[in-house]
Amino acid sequence: MELLVAMAVFVVLLGLLLQFFSGAQRMWINMEQRNNMYADARTVMDILSTMTQNAFYAERVGVPFIIEKTQPNKRENEGYDKNQYKMYFATLSRQNLPGGKLKYVTIQCGDGNDSGSGNLDELKLGVFCDKERDFEEYLPPYDLNASITKDTVGDRVRERLDGLLKNTTENPNADEPYGTILARRVTSFTITPYMRDDSGAGITSKISDKGEYETIGGGYRFSQIPYMIEFKLSLLSPRDFVVWESMTDDTAKENFRKEHEYTFSRSVFLGDQSRMSLDD
């Protein structure tokens, strides 16, 4: 009887000990995943900051800087943030990017279509540079090429960069020099432009001011370089993302996202003095 009692006590203690180690292991894994997520977010924000701080913009001669806010139907019932933000601009930043000193880049989330720019949860970077034979046609002077003008170059740059991002969708494991995935498990990515108000009101957000946007198919386009940009990136941990993706109720999925996602933000001051411009 004493032996049976001792064995029963030992089994209870062993069970408690195993629960302790199992809980400690789960905590360790969660902390490691969270640390990796923080490191990835810092890397993405550093890339965005460097690229935008080295933006090259010339409105009068036609070197575009475009921020788009759209509402694609694909995202509306899948628990993601309904708004999708994209940015297209020329930059002098190197950052191990292909091509020469100047190139066009885009930063955007995938559109979720099989033949499009990737999965909804992927934040992607696309590069259009002088590795392409016709790259110089997208730079002034445009009177040398009748198919591109100062007024249409923005749309042409957008189409070209969106097309390059399809390469990473068709073969995401390929060594693709013109498109790469900056972050995965993205639930929201927003770009807020701010402009300086010369009337004395300081720096004001233009994200809700429709007067500053050109209307485009359910969204708006901001077609000038801002005084300041705020980036916000929301991510889920690998474990939470698996749970979130498996949920079918839209309301529950939205609530789970808001409760478990981590949001990182970075404000980048461009100002008048940091604008590389051909206008003058």
Side-chain angles (χ1 to χ4, degrees), residues 60-238:
R60 288 199 293 269
V61 298
V63 178
F65 190 105
I66 299 172
I67 297 175
E68 286 189 359
K69 175 186 176 183
T70 60
Q71 293 182 314
N73 295 329
K74 182 71 175 176
R75 299 173 69 95
E76 290 185 358
N77 298 318
E78 300 193 16
Y80 291 85
D81 188 307
K82 292 182 180 180
N83 294 314
Q84 183 175 4
Y85 293 77
K86 303 178 180 181
M87 190 161 69
Y88 307 84
F89 61 101
T91 182
L92 295 169
S93 174
R94 297 284 186 170
Q95 292 190 313
N96 297 322
L97 297 176
K101 189 175 183 180
L102 180 66
K103 69 273 298 178
Y104 283 110
V105 298
T106 182
I107 302 161
Q108 59 179 270
C109 284
D111 55 17
N113 298 320
D114 294 336
S115 60
S117 58
N119 297 328
L120 292 171
D121 65 291
E122 296 173 345
L123 179 64
K124 308 187 78 174
L125 167 69
V127 182
F128 177 41
C129 62
D130 57 9
K131 295 289 185 179
E132 296 289 324
R133 294 181 179 180
D134 59 343
F135 176 71
E136 292 185 357
E137 297 180 7
Y138 292 76
L139 297 173
Y142 297 111
D143 53 359
L144 301 179
N145 186 339
S147 64
I148 301 178
T149 67
K150 179 177 71 70
D151 297 326
T152 63
V153 64
D155 291 333
R156 295 293 297 273
V157 167
R158 288 174 55 254
E159 293 173 1
R160 194 59 181 271
L161 285 168
D162 288 345
L164 291 173
L165 281 179
K166 295 179 181 179
N167 295 333
T168 55
T169 302
E170 295 169 357
N171 190 357
N173 297 318
D175 183 16
E176 175 55 62
Y178 303 120
T180 187
I181 300 173
L182 295 177
R184 300 180 189 273
R185 299 179 296 279
V186 177
T187 56
S188 176
F189 175 63
T190 63
I191 306 170
T192 306
Y194 291 82
M195 298 299 290
R196 185 174 60 183
D197 191 336
D198 295 330
S199 64
I203 301 175
T204 58
S205 169
K206 297 300 181 183
I207 203 65
S208 60
D209 186 354
K210 298 180 181 180
E212 295 291 337
Y213 282 81
E214 172 192 357
T215 304
I216 53 164
Y220 301 99
R221 179 187 302 170
F222 190 86
S223 301
Q224 55 182 302
I225 192 168
Y227 190 78
M228 184 182 78
I229 301 177
E230 181 185 41
F231 298 103
K232 282 189 177 181
L233 176 67
S234 297
L235 305 170
L236 285 173
S237 68

Side-chain angles (χ1 to χ4, degrees), residues 260-274:
H260 292 84
E261 69 182 1
Y262 294 83
T263 299
F264 307 87
S265 63
R266 177 75 61 88
S267 295
V268 181
F269 288 90
L270 300 176
D272 295 326
Q273 71 280 4
S274 63

